Amino acid sequence: MSSRTSSLQFQLNRVPTRLPAPERERLLAKPGFGAIFTEHMVRIRWNAERGWHDAELTAYAPLSLDPGTAVLHYAQAVFEGLKAFRQADGGVAAFRPDAHASRFRRSARRLALPELPEETFLEAIDLLVEADHAWVPSAPDHSLYLRPLMYASEVSLSVHPADDVTFLLIASPSGPYFPRGVKPVTVWLTEDYSRAAPGGTGAAKTGGNYAGGLLAQAQAAEHGCDQVVWLDSFEHRWVEEMGGMNLCFVFGHGDTARVMTPALTGTLLPGITRDSLLTLGRDLGYETEEGRINVDEWRAGCEDGSLTEVFACGTAAVITPVAAVKSARASWTIGNGGPGEVSMRLRQALVEIQRGAASDPHGWLHHARVSFER
Ligand SMILES: *Cc1c(COP(=O)(O)O)cnc(C)c1O
């Protein structure tokens, strides 16, 4: 069996026996986030001589890596994170996989990795969702989290863009990222550490950005905060992101509220949730803006009441309200400390589209080729 895009032929090596349904249902009842994986994965190889080749859907299994594999030493790797949702009609749809395919290419380019054609990325997602659609949860706030990744699989300690690269796509049935629901978080403004600098890799989805952020996250926890907020690396004043999520600031109330998110300066990750919420914000009649805000303005806005809500957004956790801010100098609260009205309205609008409970005017859902029982 095989499946073909115009560029690449996929071998379909399905597992001979499936996990019994009661066993699968037991795992799906309490999946956690990114903790369990489905029965298949997609693998595609690339080398300088043959380009992309040996594309296959195969059994999910551990990798065997030579200790000299380049990615283990020099971190030449990129990833994506997107979700497939059980639809109101029982089908399955992935959210904006084309936008993720395009960002995956841009990340690869920045890391000197080969660019996977977007149609191949989409075909990989179709094949895996088709093979493992029984693993797409239907509980509210649950989804099939899809994790495409690419890494330098060349065995070499010499520093150069790898001549041998592997693409993998795995899938993890997941519950809410924050298991206690939409609970506002407290953030730590770090002035000791930076996530990204001009000319660096901040706009690419690459693990090194995360590795470099872990110590700041630990510092946030030491100060009793849930998450770290990244400031610009030069003045340590301009607000960029929160952990692995983009930030949005809401000014004013009700229908006249204005939603502002820091502009993409090259050191921020261009979030697809951020982009979707800017669009939905406009649809809902809010004024939306890509701008900038510094720490003093954040504090002053909360104190004079003009800045009413702050939330973080990303695929994994959707929208996370920010209730309070701490830094080495000051601490303050935002609004009444609960989830804001505009934040929750935006969240609801996005989640309803993702689940097929509302119409999809922007064509964001990519419906899987699965036969399903109603
Ligand atoms: C992935 C990511 C985001 C959010 O992007 P989405 O496309 O909305 O999931 C934001 N910031 C960082 C640093 C990220 O890695």
Side-chain angles (χ1 to χ4, degrees), residues 79-82 100 103 145 195 202 204-206 209-210 230 241-247 267-276 313-318:
F79 69 94
E80 265 303 322
L82 67 159
H100 288 274
R103 189 173 65 189
Y145 184 78
R195 190 189 83 92
K205 222 163 165 65
T206 183
N209 292 340
Y210 280 72
W230 301 108
E241 298 194 59
M242 181 191 95
M245 301 173 82
N246 294 112
L247 279 169
T267 52
L268 280 74
L269 198 288
I272 290 158
T273 314
R274 170 190 181 280
D275 180 76
S276 305
C313 61
T315 296
V318 195

Side-chain angles (χ1 to χ4, degrees), residues 7-304:
S7 55
L8 208 57
Q9 183 96 25
F10 281 83
Q11 290 303 312
L12 304 182
N13 302 317
R14 292 199 177 87
V15 294
T17 46
R18 305 297 306 232
L19 197 69
E23 185 65 9
R24 186 180 66 235
E25 293 307 322
R26 193 183 58 75
L27 288 167
L28 286 180
K30 231 176 165 296
F33 186 88
I36 62 171
F37 298 93
T38 66
E39 291 162 274
H40 294 92
M41 63 184 190
V42 171
R43 175 167 38 220
I44 314 176
R45 299 186 190 277
W46 180 93
N47 66 31
E49 198 183 316
R50 297 176 63 194
W52 294 105
H53 63 279
D54 285 359
E56 61 171 341
L57 175 84
T58 187
Y60 184 93
L63 307 173
S64 166
L65 290 183
D66 187 296
T69 302
V71 67
L72 299 176
H73 304 271
Y74 307 127
Q76 192 194 6
V78 295
F79 69 94
E80 265 303 322
L82 67 159
K83 285 175 169 174
F85 296 89
R86 182 67 65 187
Q87 299 295 287
D89 69 1
V92 175
F95 187 71
R96 303 193 70 181
D98 48 344
H100 288 274
S102 149
R103 189 173 65 189
F104 193 59
R105 272 181 51 167
R106 282 179 274 133
S107 295
R109 197 178 309 155
R110 178 62 187 84
L111 272 288
L113 285 161
E115 294 176 37
L116 185 71
E118 291 175 23
E119 60 173 5
T120 307
F121 182 101
L122 296 174
E123 176 72 5
I125 286 175
D126 279 344
L127 288 174
L128 187 58
V129 170
E130 200 178 357
D132 287 342
H133 70 90
W135 287 92
V136 182
S138 47
D141 297 328
H142 288 52
S143 62
L144 185 68
Y145 184 78
L146 295 159
R147 169 54 60 92
L149 65 149
M150 193 197 292
Y151 62 91
S153 39
E154 182 179 348
V155 177
S156 171
L157 299 186
S158 107
V159 179
H160 60 260
D163 283 339
D164 189 297
V165 169
T166 301
F167 167 84
L168 296 175
L169 170 65
I170 57 176
S172 173
S174 292
Y177 190 80
F178 295 116
R180 280 167 299 156
V182 188
K183 184 184 153 284
V185 295
T186 298
V187 297
W188 172 252
L189 303 183
T190 180
E191 291 170 22
D192 297 341
Y193 301 110
S194 297
R195 190 189 83 92
T201 56
K205 222 163 165 65
T206 183
N209 292 340
Y210 280 72
L214 293 173
L215 197 54
Q217 178 60 41
Q219 192 190 47
E222 277 165 28
H223 288 93
C225 295
D226 304 297
Q227 291 287 328
V228 63
V229 161
W230 301 108
L231 305 173
D232 76 285
S233 61
F234 185 57
E235 292 184 80
H236 302 293
R237 222 154 67 83
W238 299 98
V239 179
E240 297 203 328
E241 298 194 59
M242 181 191 95
M245 301 173 82
N246 294 112
L247 279 169
C248 288
F249 295 80
V250 180
F251 297 88
H253 297 274
D255 293 342
T256 58
R258 176 168 63 93
V259 181
M260 193 285 284
T261 186
L264 302 175
T265 56
T267 52
L268 280 74
L269 198 288
I272 290 158
T273 314
R274 170 190 181 280
D275 180 76
S276 305
L277 292 173
L278 282 175
T279 301
L280 291 178
R282 280 192 292 275
D283 291 354
L284 291 172
Y286 299 123
E287 191 187 325
T288 60
E289 184 199 347
E290 296 177 83
R292 59 180 204 162
I293 182 168
N294 65 40
V295 172
D296 296 333
E297 291 165 346
W298 185 349
R299 185 180 177 189
C302 290
E303 283 171 0
D304 70 20

Side-chain angles (χ1 to χ4, degrees), residues 253 301-303 305 307-310 322-324 332-338 340:
H253 297 274
C302 290
E303 283 171 0
L307 176 48
T308 49
E309 305 175 28
V310 178
V322 179
W332 65 92
T333 57
I334 302 155
N336 60 10

